[in-house]
PDB file of all heavy atoms in Angstrom:
ATOM      1  N   THR H 199     -24.014 -13.205  -9.796  1.00  0.00           N
ATOM      2  CA  THR H 199     -25.351 -13.101 -10.581  1.00  0.00           C
ATOM      3  C   THR H 199     -24.936 -13.436 -12.023  1.00  0.00           C
ATOM      4  O   THR H 199     -23.907 -13.238 -12.531  1.00  0.00           O
ATOM      5  CB  THR H 199     -25.956 -11.820 -10.423  1.00  0.00           C
ATOM      6  OG1 THR H 199     -25.126 -10.846 -10.978  1.00  0.00           O
ATOM      7  CG2 THR H 199     -26.192 -11.539  -8.831  1.00  0.00           C
ATOM      8  N   PRO H 200     -26.142 -13.809 -12.857  1.00  0.00           N
ATOM      9  CA  PRO H 200     -25.735 -14.120 -14.277  1.00  0.00           C
ATOM     10  C   PRO H 200     -25.353 -12.822 -14.920  1.00  0.00           C
ATOM     11  O   PRO H 200     -25.757 -11.628 -14.606  1.00  0.00           O
ATOM     12  CB  PRO H 200     -27.182 -14.512 -14.680  1.00  0.00           C
ATOM     13  CG  PRO H 200     -27.854 -15.088 -13.572  1.00  0.00           C
ATOM     14  CD  PRO H 200     -27.335 -14.277 -12.405  1.00  0.00           C
ATOM     15  N   LEU H 201     -24.482 -12.990 -15.912  1.00  0.00           N
ATOM     16  CA  LEU H 201     -24.009 -11.761 -16.630  1.00  0.00           C
ATOM     17  C   LEU H 201     -25.185 -11.200 -17.451  1.00  0.00           C
ATOM     18  O   LEU H 201     -25.821 -11.838 -18.309  1.00  0.00           O
ATOM     19  CB  LEU H 201     -22.736 -12.150 -17.624  1.00  0.00           C
ATOM     20  CG  LEU H 201     -22.046 -11.126 -18.315  1.00  0.00           C
ATOM     21  CD1 LEU H 201     -21.366 -10.256 -17.433  1.00  0.00           C
ATOM     22  CD2 LEU H 201     -21.083 -11.758 -19.319  1.00  0.00           C
ATOM     23  N   GLU H 202     -25.269  -9.868 -17.422  1.00  0.00           N
ATOM     24  CA  GLU H 202     -26.447  -9.120 -18.081  1.00  0.00           C
ATOM     25  C   GLU H 202     -25.811  -8.211 -19.169  1.00  0.00           C
ATOM     26  O   GLU H 202     -25.108  -7.408 -18.826  1.00  0.00           O
ATOM     27  CB  GLU H 202     -27.200  -8.370 -17.087  1.00  0.00           C
ATOM     28  CG  GLU H 202     -28.394  -7.743 -17.617  1.00  0.00           C
ATOM     29  CD  GLU H 202     -29.239  -6.930 -16.617  1.00  0.00           C
ATOM     30  OE1 GLU H 202     -28.836  -6.842 -15.340  1.00  0.00           O
ATOM     31  OE2 GLU H 202     -30.324  -6.368 -16.901  1.00  0.00           O
ATOM     32  N   PHE H 203     -26.327  -8.375 -20.424  1.00  0.00           N
ATOM     33  CA  PHE H 203     -25.663  -7.570 -21.583  1.00  0.00           C
ATOM     34  C   PHE H 203     -26.659  -6.492 -21.777  1.00  0.00           C
ATOM     35  O   PHE H 203     -27.840  -6.554 -21.658  1.00  0.00           O
ATOM     36  CB  PHE H 203     -25.531  -8.446 -22.844  1.00  0.00           C
ATOM     37  CG  PHE H 203     -24.475  -9.505 -22.610  1.00  0.00           C
ATOM     38  CD1 PHE H 203     -24.668 -10.793 -22.337  1.00  0.00           C
ATOM     39  CD2 PHE H 203     -22.989  -9.010 -22.905  1.00  0.00           C
ATOM     40  CE1 PHE H 203     -23.574 -11.777 -22.340  1.00  0.00           C
ATOM     41  CE2 PHE H 203     -22.055  -9.931 -22.731  1.00  0.00           C
ATOM     42  CZ  PHE H 203     -22.260 -11.329 -22.410  1.00  0.00           C
ATOM     43  N   PHE H 204     -26.047  -5.257 -22.265  1.00  0.00           N
ATOM     44  CA  PHE H 204     -26.767  -4.149 -22.406  1.00  0.00           C
ATOM     45  C   PHE H 204     -26.689  -3.682 -24.024  1.00  0.00           C
ATOM     46  O   PHE H 204     -27.103  -2.642 -24.263  1.00  0.00           O
ATOM     47  CB  PHE H 204     -26.456  -2.973 -21.627  1.00  0.00           C
ATOM     48  CG  PHE H 204     -26.747  -3.329 -20.114  1.00  0.00           C
ATOM     49  CD1 PHE H 204     -25.752  -3.646 -19.189  1.00  0.00           C
ATOM     50  CD2 PHE H 204     -28.092  -3.259 -19.654  1.00  0.00           C
ATOM     51  CE1 PHE H 204     -26.038  -3.913 -17.969  1.00  0.00           C
ATOM     52  CE2 PHE H 204     -28.406  -3.414 -18.318  1.00  0.00           C
ATOM     53  CZ  PHE H 204     -27.316  -3.697 -17.432  1.00  0.00           C
ATOM     54  N   SER H 205     -26.016  -4.513 -24.703  1.00  0.00           N
ATOM     55  CA  SER H 205     -25.906  -4.095 -26.248  1.00  0.00           C
ATOM     56  C   SER H 205     -25.827  -5.355 -27.004  1.00  0.00           C
ATOM     57  O   SER H 205     -25.478  -6.491 -26.655  1.00  0.00           O
ATOM     58  CB  SER H 205     -24.565  -3.365 -26.408  1.00  0.00           C
ATOM     59  OG  SER H 205     -23.351  -4.170 -26.005  1.00  0.00           O
ATOM     60  N   GLN H 206     -26.241  -5.203 -28.297  1.00  0.00           N
ATOM     61  CA  GLN H 206     -26.306  -6.387 -29.190  1.00  0.00           C
ATOM     62  C   GLN H 206     -24.999  -7.036 -29.439  1.00  0.00           C
ATOM     63  O   GLN H 206     -24.836  -8.234 -29.589  1.00  0.00           O
ATOM     64  CB  GLN H 206     -26.869  -5.863 -30.468  1.00  0.00           C
ATOM     65  CG  GLN H 206     -28.425  -5.478 -30.438  1.00  0.00           C
ATOM     66  CD  GLN H 206     -29.299  -6.702 -30.089  1.00  0.00           C
ATOM     67  OE1 GLN H 206     -28.945  -7.832 -30.561  1.00  0.00           O
ATOM     68  NE2 GLN H 206     -30.478  -6.504 -29.499  1.00  0.00           N
ATOM     69  N   ASP H 207     -23.876  -6.126 -29.478  1.00  0.00           N
ATOM     70  CA  ASP H 207     -22.608  -6.681 -29.817  1.00  0.00           C
ATOM     71  C   ASP H 207     -21.910  -7.189 -28.582  1.00  0.00           C
ATOM     72  O   ASP H 207     -20.584  -7.555 -28.533  1.00  0.00           O
ATOM     73  CB  ASP H 207     -21.709  -5.672 -30.456  1.00  0.00           C
ATOM     74  CG  ASP H 207     -21.578  -4.416 -29.755  1.00  0.00           C
ATOM     75  OD1 ASP H 207     -22.181  -4.301 -28.528  1.00  0.00           O
ATOM     76  OD2 ASP H 207     -20.922  -3.440 -30.092  1.00  0.00           O
ATOM     77  N   LYS H 208     -22.559  -7.246 -27.509  1.00  0.00           N
ATOM     78  CA  LYS H 208     -22.023  -7.759 -26.169  1.00  0.00           C
ATOM     79  C   LYS H 208     -20.764  -6.986 -25.664  1.00  0.00           C
ATOM     80  O   LYS H 208     -19.866  -7.635 -25.133  1.00  0.00           O
ATOM     81  CB  LYS H 208     -21.822  -9.273 -26.304  1.00  0.00           C
ATOM     82  CG  LYS H 208     -22.975 -10.027 -26.502  1.00  0.00           C
ATOM     83  CD  LYS H 208     -22.857 -11.564 -26.390  1.00  0.00           C
ATOM     84  CE  LYS H 208     -24.037 -12.343 -26.500  1.00  0.00           C
ATOM     85  NZ  LYS H 208     -23.823 -13.865 -26.487  1.00  0.00           N
ATOM     86  N   THR H 209     -20.635  -5.774 -25.871  1.00  0.00           N
ATOM     87  CA  THR H 209     -19.565  -5.009 -25.511  1.00  0.00           C
ATOM     88  C   THR H 209     -19.911  -4.231 -24.185  1.00  0.00           C
ATOM     89  O   THR H 209     -19.042  -3.576 -23.572  1.00  0.00           O
ATOM     90  CB  THR H 209     -19.076  -3.863 -26.474  1.00  0.00           C
ATOM     91  OG1 THR H 209     -20.237  -3.095 -26.869  1.00  0.00           O
ATOM     92  CG2 THR H 209     -18.681  -4.594 -27.799  1.00  0.00           C
ATOM     93  N   GLN H 210     -21.131  -4.282 -23.727  1.00  0.00           N
ATOM     94  CA  GLN H 210     -21.554  -3.631 -22.408  1.00  0.00           C
ATOM     95  C   GLN H 210     -22.256  -4.684 -21.544  1.00  0.00           C
ATOM     96  O   GLN H 210     -23.259  -5.439 -22.092  1.00  0.00           O
ATOM     97  CB  GLN H 210     -22.445  -2.465 -22.746  1.00  0.00           C
ATOM     98  CG  GLN H 210     -21.711  -1.261 -23.601  1.00  0.00           C
ATOM     99  CD  GLN H 210     -22.609  -0.164 -23.755  1.00  0.00           C
ATOM    100  OE1 GLN H 210     -23.528   0.068 -22.936  1.00  0.00           O
ATOM    101  NE2 GLN H 210     -22.512   0.522 -24.847  1.00  0.00           N
ATOM    102  N   ALA H 211     -21.904  -4.884 -20.333  1.00  0.00           N
ATOM    103  CA  ALA H 211     -22.424  -5.793 -19.541  1.00  0.00           C
ATOM    104  C   ALA H 211     -22.297  -5.414 -18.085  1.00  0.00           C
ATOM    105  O   ALA H 211     -21.580  -4.464 -17.674  1.00  0.00           O
ATOM    106  CB  ALA H 211     -21.792  -7.142 -19.862  1.00  0.00           C
ATOM    107  N   LYS H 212     -23.124  -6.177 -17.260  1.00  0.00           N
ATOM    108  CA  LYS H 212     -23.116  -5.952 -15.809  1.00  0.00           C
ATOM    109  C   LYS H 212     -23.188  -7.238 -15.084  1.00  0.00           C
ATOM    110  O   LYS H 212     -23.815  -8.180 -15.463  1.00  0.00           O
ATOM    111  CB  LYS H 212     -24.337  -5.131 -15.373  1.00  0.00           C
ATOM    112  CG  LYS H 212     -24.423  -4.848 -13.918  1.00  0.00           C
ATOM    113  CD  LYS H 212     -25.690  -3.849 -13.735  1.00  0.00           C
ATOM    114  CE  LYS H 212     -25.807  -3.452 -12.200  1.00  0.00           C
ATOM    115  NZ  LYS H 212     -26.848  -2.557 -11.967  1.00  0.00           N
ATOM    116  N   VAL H 213     -22.480  -7.401 -13.946  1.00  0.00           N
ATOM    117  CA  VAL H 213     -22.303  -8.504 -13.108  1.00  0.00           C
ATOM    118  C   VAL H 213     -22.252  -8.132 -11.687  1.00  0.00           C
ATOM    119  O   VAL H 213     -21.578  -7.051 -11.338  1.00  0.00           O
ATOM    120  CB  VAL H 213     -21.316  -9.544 -13.604  1.00  0.00           C
ATOM    121  CG1 VAL H 213     -19.937  -8.862 -13.226  1.00  0.00           C
ATOM    122  CG2 VAL H 213     -21.452 -10.846 -12.960  1.00  0.00           C
ATOM    123  N   SER H 214     -22.768  -8.880 -10.705  1.00  0.00           N
ATOM    124  CA  SER H 214     -22.622  -8.635  -9.317  1.00  0.00           C
ATOM    125  C   SER H 214     -22.257  -9.929  -8.499  1.00  0.00           C
ATOM    126  O   SER H 214     -22.521 -10.936  -8.973  1.00  0.00           O
ATOM    127  CB  SER H 214     -23.937  -7.975  -8.808  1.00  0.00           C
ATOM    128  OG  SER H 214     -24.370  -6.886  -9.516  1.00  0.00           O
ATOM    129  N   LEU H 215     -21.859  -9.638  -7.330  1.00  0.00           N
ATOM    130  CA  LEU H 215     -21.688 -10.710  -6.376  1.00  0.00           C
ATOM    131  C   LEU H 215     -23.013 -11.132  -5.956  1.00  0.00           C
ATOM    132  O   LEU H 215     -23.941 -10.252  -5.724  1.00  0.00           O
ATOM    133  CB  LEU H 215     -20.832 -10.253  -5.199  1.00  0.00           C
ATOM    134  CG  LEU H 215     -19.308 -10.198  -5.247  1.00  0.00           C
ATOM    135  CD1 LEU H 215     -18.595  -9.783  -3.967  1.00  0.00           C
ATOM    136  CD2 LEU H 215     -18.641 -11.536  -5.784  1.00  0.00           C
ATOM    137  N   SER H 216     -23.285 -12.415  -5.594  1.00  0.00           N
ATOM    138  CA  SER H 216     -24.433 -12.906  -5.082  1.00  0.00           C
ATOM    139  C   SER H 216     -24.628 -12.123  -3.713  1.00  0.00           C
ATOM    140  O   SER H 216     -23.765 -11.918  -3.013  1.00  0.00           O
ATOM    141  CB  SER H 216     -24.504 -14.478  -5.043  1.00  0.00           C
ATOM    142  OG  SER H 216     -24.444 -14.991  -6.300  1.00  0.00           O
ATOM    143  N   PRO H 217     -25.985 -11.900  -3.467  1.00  0.00           N
ATOM    144  CA  PRO H 217     -26.277 -11.217  -2.125  1.00  0.00           C
ATOM    145  C   PRO H 217     -25.791 -11.957  -0.910  1.00  0.00           C
ATOM    146  O   PRO H 217     -25.695 -13.187  -0.904  1.00  0.00           O
ATOM    147  CB  PRO H 217     -27.727 -11.154  -2.148  1.00  0.00           C
ATOM    148  CG  PRO H 217     -28.217 -11.275  -3.535  1.00  0.00           C
ATOM    149  CD  PRO H 217     -27.165 -12.116  -4.199  1.00  0.00           C
ATOM    150  N   GLY H 218     -25.293 -11.337   0.126  1.00  0.00           N
ATOM    151  CA  GLY H 218     -24.997 -11.901   1.368  1.00  0.00           C
ATOM    152  C   GLY H 218     -23.565 -12.409   1.506  1.00  0.00           C
ATOM    153  O   GLY H 218     -23.284 -13.073   2.393  1.00  0.00           O
ATOM    154  N   HIS H 219     -22.698 -11.968   0.579  1.00  0.00           N
ATOM    155  CA  HIS H 219     -21.361 -12.342   0.515  1.00  0.00           C
ATOM    156  C   HIS H 219     -20.624 -11.841   1.804  1.00  0.00           C
ATOM    157  O   HIS H 219     -20.511 -10.548   1.896  1.00  0.00           O
ATOM    158  CB  HIS H 219     -20.591 -11.886  -0.794  1.00  0.00           C
ATOM    159  CG  HIS H 219     -19.155 -12.301  -0.850  1.00  0.00           C
ATOM    160  ND1 HIS H 219     -18.719 -13.608  -1.038  1.00  0.00           N
ATOM    161  CD2 HIS H 219     -18.092 -11.531  -0.616  1.00  0.00           C
ATOM    162  CE1 HIS H 219     -17.340 -13.541  -0.956  1.00  0.00           C
ATOM    163  NE2 HIS H 219     -16.976 -12.295  -0.709  1.00  0.00           N
ATOM    164  N   GLN H 220     -19.987 -12.703   2.558  1.00  0.00           N
ATOM    165  CA  GLN H 220     -19.124 -12.218   3.563  1.00  0.00           C
ATOM    166  C   GLN H 220     -17.708 -11.908   3.028  1.00  0.00           C
ATOM    167  O   GLN H 220     -17.068 -12.669   2.393  1.00  0.00           O
ATOM    168  CB  GLN H 220     -19.009 -13.238   4.741  1.00  0.00           C
ATOM    169  CG  GLN H 220     -20.189 -13.236   5.750  1.00  0.00           C
ATOM    170  CD  GLN H 220     -19.769 -13.961   6.934  1.00  0.00           C
ATOM    171  OE1 GLN H 220     -19.236 -14.950   6.933  1.00  0.00           O
ATOM    172  NE2 GLN H 220     -20.003 -13.427   8.140  1.00  0.00           N
ATOM    173  N   PHE H 221     -17.181 -10.740   3.420  1.00  0.00           N
ATOM    174  CA  PHE H 221     -15.929 -10.177   2.842  1.00  0.00           C
ATOM    175  C   PHE H 221     -14.670 -10.878   3.705  1.00  0.00           C
ATOM    176  O   PHE H 221     -13.954 -10.213   4.261  1.00  0.00           O
ATOM    177  CB  PHE H 221     -15.870  -8.733   2.970  1.00  0.00           C
ATOM    178  CG  PHE H 221     -14.921  -8.116   2.043  1.00  0.00           C
ATOM    179  CD1 PHE H 221     -14.322  -8.866   1.076  1.00  0.00           C
ATOM    180  CD2 PHE H 221     -14.530  -6.808   2.148  1.00  0.00           C
ATOM    181  CE1 PHE H 221     -13.314  -8.125   0.224  1.00  0.00           C
ATOM    182  CE2 PHE H 221     -13.532  -6.130   1.422  1.00  0.00           C
ATOM    183  CZ  PHE H 221     -13.008  -6.988   0.423  1.00  0.00           C
TER     184      PHE H 221
END
Side-chain angles (χ1 to χ4, degrees):
T199 62
L201 187 63
E202 183 179 1
F203 290 100
F204 295 103
S205 62
Q206 292 291 331
D207 58 1
K208 295 186 176 182
T209 58
Q210 299 180 30
K212 182 178 182 178
V213 69
S214 303
L215 284 181
S216 296
H219 176 77
Q220 277 198 315
F221 200 13

